[in-house]
Amino acid sequence: MGEQNHCPGKELQQRTQAELPGMKSWPSQAYALGAISNFMSTFLTFPIYKVMFRQQIHAVAVSAAVRQLWHEGPQYFYRGIYPPLLSKTLQGTLLFGTYDSLLGSISPVGPHSLGQRWTAGLMSGVVEAVALSPFERVQNVLQDGRKQARFPSTFSILKEFNSYGLWGRLSLGYYRGFWPVLVRNSLGSALYFSFKDPIQESLAKQGLPHWVPALVSGSVNGTITCLVLYPLIVLVANMQSHVGWQSMPSLWASVQDVWDTRGRKVSLIYRGGSLVILRSSVTWGLTTAIHDFLQRKSHLLKD
């Protein structure tokens, strides 16, 4: 097909900008497409995520994490899926929608420079962290098998957090581990949006089918970003698994604890990296491909 020789990301970007010359807009379509693509990819990859989470908490091999879940029974395998499903759907809404809004505010007319994409991505990551950190906090408590008896449901966790004072609800409850979340999300978003389109446009020039550049771009970009930020992912998972006023370690104490429990070796911090690569490749590959497909379909309908 002749269309395969075009750069799809750049083409759609230029068409969107041409529809709204010289005026600020609120791209509601970008929010909707982000929500749908993240919902679908999260549902499909949740089993991989749960095994990966157990590795981060208990520092065990893949086989041991799978045995833990199997021993607990199938009724618990999808325990905790609703918070990530909701949070990832909101994440896609905020991430893609806010990025498009901010990028349009920074420079209404493209093509956009690397610095502009980086800035918009960084700011969208900050918004995402502030809005979604409470969801991740509840999710990480639910995923910890050691707390199933004490906190059998989402309601029981919310009840615990709401029993604290106002400051305690924020610092010890919903926003426990917020600073590493902020750094991880802002840098991750900046990296993803800075290089997603250039990789996709480069692959599209090879005459590949439309879905291949988006899938490969999302997979490669998401994997590299996740591997770079993986120590922060482990730190967040460990910090947010703590509940209660007693023995609540500080940020620095949590860093030291993760370092000590991993035998003071970087290789042990990255234990489970194979699952990180797999889940990041599948999740961001699917998310990017689905988003690109829906975006392309919406423009065809407009035409």
Side-chain angles (χ1 to χ4, degrees), residues 150-172:
R150 183 181 175 189
F151 300 107
S153 65
T154 301
F155 177 78
S156 61
I157 299 174
L158 299 180
K159 184 178 180 181
E160 170 72 17
F161 291 167
N162 290 332
S163 68
Y164 306 156
L166 178 59
W167 178 247
R169 292 180 186 179
L170 298 176
S171 61
L172 301 179

Side-chain angles (χ1 to χ4, degrees), residues 50-261:
K50 191 157 188 178
V51 174
M52 186 185 72
F53 177 82
R54 290 298 177 90
Q55 285 190 300
Q56 294 169 358
I57 291 295
H58 303 295
V60 296
V62 175
S63 57
V66 172
R67 283 197 299 270
Q68 282 185 8
L69 295 173
W70 183 262
H71 179 73
E72 293 169 8
Q75 68 272 24
Y76 290 109
F77 194 73
Y78 275 89
R79 183 179 188 266
I81 190 175
Y82 295 112
L85 201 60
L86 177 58
S87 66
K88 292 298 183 181
T89 301
L90 291 176
Q91 179 193 44
T93 305
L94 291 174
L95 199 61
F96 287 95
T98 305
Y99 171 77
D100 277 12
S101 298
L102 292 172
L103 191 63
S105 298
I106 294 172
S107 178
V109 179
H112 299 106
S113 66
L114 175 62
Q116 290 170 340
R117 296 195 305 271
W118 176 276
T119 302
L122 189 77
M123 295 172 66
S124 67
V126 171
V127 174
E128 174 197 355
V130 173
L132 301 182
S133 185
F135 291 95
E136 185 176 7
R137 166 67 158 144
V138 174
Q139 172 190 342
N140 282 339
V141 176
L142 282 173
Q143 297 283 7
D144 191 349
R146 299 168 296 185
K147 296 181 173 62
Q148 288 181 0
R150 183 181 175 189
F151 300 107
S153 65
T154 301
F155 177 78
S156 61
I157 299 174
L158 299 180
K159 184 178 180 181
E160 170 72 17
F161 291 167
N162 290 332
S163 68
Y164 306 156
L166 178 59
W167 178 247
R169 292 180 186 179
L170 298 176
S171 61
L172 301 179
Y174 297 106
Y175 282 93
R176 166 71 177 163
F178 174 70
W179 292 114
V181 169
L182 181 65
V183 175
R184 181 200 64 190
N185 287 18
S186 57
L187 289 181
S189 178
L191 288 170
Y192 175 76
F193 284 113
S194 293
F195 302 106
K196 175 178 69 72
D197 287 342
I199 294 175
Q200 183 175 344
E201 291 164 8
S202 177
L203 291 172
K205 294 178 182 178
Q206 308 303 316
L208 299 171
H210 283 308
W211 61 271
V212 175
L215 182 68
V216 175
S217 172
S219 297
V220 172
N221 199 22
T223 298
I224 294 175
T225 299
C226 192
L227 286 175
V228 170
L229 300 176
Y230 187 74
L232 285 174
I233 296 174
V234 176
L235 177 61
V236 169
N238 281 269
M239 289 187 69
Q240 293 191 339
S241 66
H242 288 277
V243 179
W245 291 87
Q246 298 79 15
S247 65
M248 184 70 77
S250 64
L251 174 59
W252 177 242
S254 297
V255 172
Q256 290 182 312
D257 180 62
V258 170
W259 181 244
D260 291 338
T261 56

